[in-house]
Amino acid sequence: LSLLTYEPTGALIAAPTTSLPEAIGGVRNWDYRYTWLRDSAYILYALQSIGHHVAAGGFFGWLERLCLDRVSDLQIMYTIDGGADLTEQVLDHLEGYRGSRPVRIGNAASGQRQLDIYGDVLDAAYLHLREQPDAISPGLMRTLGTLADLAATRWREPDQGIWEVRGGPQHFLYSKLFCWVALDRAIHLTGDVGLTGNVAAWRRERDLIRRTILSEGYDRELGAFTQALGQPVLDAAALAIPMVGFLPATDPRVQSTIDQIMRQLSTDGLVYRYRTDDGLPDSEAACVLCSFWLVDTLAHSGRLDEARAIFEKVAGYANDVGLLAEEVDPSTGELLGNHPQGFSHLALIQAALGIARSDEHGAEARAQTMAQRWYQAPSDSR
């Protein structure tokens, strides 16, 4: 994860490769050599949770420089020097890895609306500034306040969601959840570091998002939180609900969601993101990130035996130098997608700490944010 950091600017890339396929011979071949705000925030959480705070400071310096002039029109990803032009191109003269075409450079998803980025950044800031409260500058203060305002005003809009689907926009539950995260963390930061803004509106919208998710995002017949509001479709992104402190991992609705994901989206411990039509041909393999999210959620539920077994299974797919790609083919054990993938490794750290923390403190009886979990970390993790 440290080696994914571009030291001159503090930017973090998702992966150092492009067009390694999610299915051999398929078309799901993307360029990951860019800085996603979401990926960066998760990577920083993982690094900070094991004491690497320098990278976080560098990233927030990059973010502040990036956002000062364009925070109201923030993209989901940028080049390592803050460039916004990620025009997607196909290199027809290249055969691709094992005949997997097309080979792409650039990424058209940079133009998508993904509303979770507000919560991604504010959550990472919340953790960083709890550890280093003097690190906030007037510029970063303004940026965080603007991101909270955007979450408060835009959370009702449909978007393309965390998985960057190339079909039409929907009211994805994960996006609503992270708008809730943005407002919740902004409210906490008003007390912690003196963040200013329309706090009354932040509270009102945060509480409204919560009621909306609980009433429209949980399908009783399915027995799970869903991919999008009002749609009985399962998605592994719902595993983020206890991780961000929206509900405790032991909540019956979270437990039922875990069980349904294990039944319907899991093969031998490996978890697929979803099984619905996403507007693209071909299928994809199981997602390493989601598999470790399952481990973390099981651990905080007190289901430690299941968590350990799946952790060992998924970690065992790493290559000879301990690196993981984005996905794994459950039938062959082959690593697929861009490699190495930052998301996969940060999730491994998160899952390992989740097991250790739950082993020491027991099941999570109340909702805890990732920062609160960090401050209750197992005694040997810092």
Side-chain angles (χ1 to χ4, degrees), residues 8 19 58 63 70 72 91 120 134 178 189 197 206 224 236 249 255 272 279 301 319 352 365 377:
S19 299
L63 182 68
R70 44 185 160 173
S72 295
L91 305 183
D120 297 324
D134 296 332
F178 268 76
L189 287 170
R206 179 193 63 174
Q255 287 297 296
Y272 291 86
S301 303
N319 69 6

Side-chain angles (χ1 to χ4, degrees), residues 8 10 53 95 109 122 124 127 139 146 156-157 166 214-215 227 246 251 254-255 287 291-292 298 300 305 359:
H53 299 287
E95 179 181 335
L122 275 156
L127 176 60
T146 300
R156 295 174 180 81
E157 299 175 12
R166 299 208 173 190
L214 292 176
S215 64
Q227 182 179 72
F246 186 83
D251 184 279
V254 173
Q255 287 297 296
C287 177
S291 303
F292 281 129
L298 283 169
H300 283 97
D305 289 343
D359 193 42

Side-chain angles (χ1 to χ4, degrees), residues 47-58 128 131-132 374 382:
L47 290 174
Q48 289 181 95
S49 68
I50 52 176
H52 290 275
H53 299 287
V54 174
H128 180 55
E131 182 67 23
Q132 300 187 45
W374 153 241
R382 298 180 67 177

Side-chain angles (χ1 to χ4, degrees), residues 59-339:
F59 173 73
F60 280 109
W62 175 84
L63 182 68
E64 183 177 337
R65 293 188 296 273
L66 178 76
C67 289
L68 284 178
D69 297 326
R70 44 185 160 173
V71 66
S72 295
D73 192 30
L74 201 61
Q75 291 184 184
I76 64 167
M77 68 177 92
Y78 293 90
T79 64
I80 57 175
D81 60 356
D85 184 4
L86 280 68
T87 302
E88 189 170 292
Q89 304 173 55
V90 172
L91 305 183
D92 288 323
H93 62 287
L94 295 179
E95 179 181 335
Y97 178 72
R98 292 169 61 185
S100 302
R101 290 179 171 174
V103 174
R104 293 182 173 94
I105 58 172
N107 199 309
S110 61
Q112 288 186 353
R113 179 194 299 131
Q114 296 178 20
L115 300 178
D116 66 284
I117 60 173
Y118 308 133
D120 297 324
V121 174
L122 275 156
D123 202 25
Y126 174 57
L127 176 60
H128 180 55
L129 295 173
R130 285 193 66 171
E131 182 67 23
Q132 300 187 45
D134 296 332
I136 193 165
S137 67
L140 182 57
M141 186 89 79
R142 289 192 298 273
T143 295
L144 297 177
T146 300
L147 292 175
D149 289 339
L150 288 167
T153 57
R154 298 190 67 188
W155 70 267
R156 295 174 180 81
E157 299 175 12
D159 70 346
Q160 274 79 20
I162 179 177
W163 307 133
E164 301 179 352
V165 297
R166 299 208 173 190
Q170 298 184 56
H171 289 282
F172 287 105
L173 183 145
Y174 184 92
S175 299
K176 312 299 182 189
L177 175 68
F178 268 76
C179 285
W180 177 89
V181 169
L183 297 170
D184 182 74
R185 305 311 188 255
I187 292 165
H188 282 295
L189 287 170
T190 61
D192 292 347
V193 297
L195 182 66
T196 59
N198 191 347
V199 182
W202 295 350
R203 290 185 187 278
R204 182 183 66 247
E205 297 302 313
R206 179 193 63 174
D207 294 345
L208 181 55
I209 296 171
R210 181 179 184 85
R211 292 196 297 271
T212 301
I213 290 175
L214 292 176
S215 64
E216 300 180 41
Y218 184 81
D219 188 279
R220 295 186 181 279
E221 201 168 310
L222 180 65
F225 285 99
T226 59
Q227 182 179 72
L229 300 184
Q231 298 186 21
V233 175
L234 202 58
D235 191 312
L239 293 169
I241 286 172
M243 293 192 305
V244 300
F246 186 83
L247 289 172
T250 51
D251 184 279
R253 291 161 293 186
V254 173
Q255 287 297 296
S256 179
T257 301
I258 292 171
D259 291 339
Q260 291 303 320
I261 287 172
M262 293 180 73
R263 289 190 191 108
Q264 299 186 42
L265 294 182
S266 178
T267 300
D268 199 22
L270 291 167
V271 178
Y272 291 86
R273 298 185 299 176
Y274 49 79
R275 294 189 187 273
T276 54
D277 182 8
D278 58 5
L280 289 168
D282 306 321
S283 60
E284 60 180 20
C287 177
V288 174
L289 169 74
C290 294
S291 303
F292 281 129
W293 276 1
L294 175 61
V295 171
D296 183 71
T297 309
L298 283 169
H300 283 97
S301 303
R303 297 164 64 172
L304 281 168
D305 289 343
E306 293 171 272
R308 287 192 181 97
I310 296 174
F311 181 89
E312 295 297 336
K313 170 75 71 173
V314 180
Y317 288 106
N319 69 6
D320 57 328
V321 290
L323 297 178
L324 288 159
E326 181 181 13
E327 298 179 353
V328 176
D329 183 341
S331 63
T332 65
E334 182 176 15
L335 294 171
L336 294 169
N338 283 305
H339 177 91

